[in-house]
Amino acid sequence: MKRRKMLLAIAVSMFMLLGFLPGVAVADEHDQLPPNFGFIPNSDEASVSKVNLVNNVEVARYSTIPDRDTF
């Protein structure tokens, strides 16, 4: 009896882990595209923009002017 319960518990755990039971979502590796970034210079502002090339959104902007404290 104990062995049967243990085997049942292991089987249920394996099915849940692999996502075979309804209601258990498993992320597919093709659901999202990997991030693809590009860096575009902004010469008017002396900065560089980091742009996500998948959805064309600016992620960050970096200044290319050194800080006064570093001199």
Side-chain angles (χ1 to χ4, degrees):
M1 187 70 171
K2 287 183 181 182
R3 185 176 178 164
R4 182 180 289 173
K5 286 183 180 180
M6 185 173 68
L7 289 175
L8 181 62
I10 290 173
V12 169
S13 299
M14 289 178 58
F15 280 116
M16 288 180 65
L17 180 65
L18 296 174
F20 290 126
L21 293 178
V24 178
V26 177
D28 189 11
E29 64 185 60
H30 300 292
D31 286 345
Q32 295 180 350
L33 294 173
N36 188 8
F37 297 110
F39 293 90
I40 300 174
N42 304 314
S43 60
D44 295 342
E45 301 173 9
S47 63
V48 177
S49 293
K50 181 179 180 181
V51 178
N52 185 340
L53 298 176
V54 174
N55 55 10
N56 298 327
V57 174
E58 182 181 34
V59 178
R61 188 171 290 213
Y62 304 101
S63 176
T64 58
I65 301 171
D67 294 334
R68 294 182 130 211
D69 298 337
T70 59
F71 291 115

